[in-house]
Amino acid sequence: MSQWPIGVFTSVDAGLGVHLEVVQELKIPTVQIHAPHQQTRTAAHAEAFLGKCADAGITITAVFGGFEGESYASIAETARTVGLVPQATRAARTQEMKEISDFTKLLGCDVVALHIGFVPEDRAGEDYRSLINCTQDLLDHVAANGQNLHLETGQETADHLLEFIADVGRDNLFINFDPANMILYGTGEPIAALRQVAKYVRSVHCKDGTWAKENRGVAWGAEVPLGDGDVGMENYLRTLHEIGYTGPLTIEREIPHDPVRQKADIGHAVRLLESLKSKILG
Ligand code: MG
């Protein structure tokens, strides 16, 4: 694959991505997909989806786990409901994530990813220790499928993410870097964070956002079309180049309630990234 192939975050029947038809129409060569609902995670569906991708010349670069009951309605709701962190659903979701890893293998893809949730702050606490154990257990399953797991950024600072990865201590745990999330969640300046976690970055999102006007970290920032936010896309791509990242540039535009605008914004993002790519890579 050539350096920095354009990609887009895609949904089959769950999640906030665009549908494959849009990807095909915009001639985008790679996709990350949000894992479909459990009843769709079958060998027959995997084969059908792979067939569609092959016909359209699309490569699947990662499969993102997501779970029933997750809500991004506010930062507090996100902390309460998202990922493997919430205690009440942790065991069931860890099991489901293993099933998503198995489905990902059927798709011939060696990367699974997820928002693990708000990693507890206290590294000595029981909650943190048990999250480490369950992440190790998941990573061993993922490794047996020949895969790596990428953690989506944003819900913790770069410092704490590095501590967590070190404490987990497995060699198949990496990062899907999302610069806009650092802004939306108010967890840190994205370019500095990218430099800090650089050695673990194996996939990225191209998404933009503006900082919350007040109460950063409590109130959401706003997700906006690529290039219109506070990330600074040229600086972001230049930094990716500087740290030696050559993988896909996967566009995310999380407005599935407005598919017309979503498609238009993704088309715009493709053109912006293509022009920055030729400027930076020559
Ligand atoms: Mg993202």
Side-chain angles (χ1 to χ4, degrees), residues 56-87:
I58 295 168
T59 303
I60 303 166
T61 61
V63 177
F64 265 72
F67 308 101
E68 292 292 331
E70 291 187 324
S71 165
Y72 291 88
S74 65
I75 291 180
E77 268 294 281
T78 306
R80 199 176 65 77
T81 64
V82 167
L84 304 184
V85 171
Q87 295 268 14

Side-chain angles (χ1 to χ4, degrees), residues 152 176 178 181 205 207 252 254:
E152 173 86 349
N176 182 84
D178 185 324
N181 282 351
H205 284 161
K207 188 171 88 183
E252 249 190 326
E254 300 178 320

Side-chain angles (χ1 to χ4, degrees), residues 55-254:
D55 289 346
I58 295 168
T59 303
I60 303 166
T61 61
V63 177
F64 265 72
F67 308 101
E68 292 292 331
E70 291 187 324
S71 165
Y72 291 88
S74 65
I75 291 180
E77 268 294 281
T78 306
R80 199 176 65 77
T81 64
V82 167
L84 304 184
V85 171
Q87 295 268 14
T89 50
R90 186 178 291 171
R93 285 181 176 178
T94 303
Q95 178 55 35
E96 186 169 2
M97 197 60 208
K98 290 178 183 176
E99 291 164 19
I100 289 169
S101 162
D102 297 344
F103 179 73
T104 302
K105 192 177 179 186
L106 294 177
L107 291 173
C109 179
D110 60 5
V111 177
V112 286
L114 88 161
H115 265 303
I116 202 161
F118 284 64
V119 174
E121 296 279 339
D122 178 11
R123 292 169 79 192
E126 176 51 34
D127 197 18
Y128 183 85
R129 298 310 313 168
S130 81
L131 183 66
I132 295 284
N133 292 339
C134 113
T135 306
Q136 289 169 334
D137 173 43
L138 173 60
L139 283 166
D140 294 343
H141 185 96
V142 165
N145 279 334
Q147 298 162 336
N148 292 330
L149 177 71
H150 295 188
L151 296 178
E152 173 86 349
T153 56
Q155 297 171 339
E156 43 283 310
T157 60
D159 282 330
H160 197 41
L161 189 58
L162 289 173
E163 287 171 346
F164 180 70
I165 291 172
D167 288 340
V168 171
R170 290 289 192 276
D171 63 5
N172 62 330
L173 183 58
F174 295 97
I175 287 172
N176 182 84
F177 191 84
D178 185 324
N181 282 351
M182 306 300 298
I183 290 173
L184 299 175
Y185 288 90
T187 41
E189 203 284 308
I191 306 301
L194 174 59
R195 287 210 172 88
Q196 214 181 329
V197 302
K199 71 172 177 172
Y200 292 108
V201 174
R202 291 287 182 95
S203 58
V204 303
H205 284 161
C206 292
K207 188 171 88 183
D208 215 341
T210 54
W211 295 98
K213 287 191 179 64
E214 49 196 25
N215 291 330
R216 272 186 201 178
V218 178
W220 279 128
E223 195 224 332
V224 298
L226 204 71
D228 291 357
D230 293 328
V231 169
M233 273 306 134
E234 181 165 350
N235 194 16
Y236 177 50
L237 263 60
R238 286 193 186 282
T239 309
L240 287 172
H241 190 45
E242 185 188 307
I243 67 169
Y245 178 80
T246 59
L249 301 177
T250 303
I251 298 160
E252 249 190 326
R253 185 67 174 118
E254 300 178 320

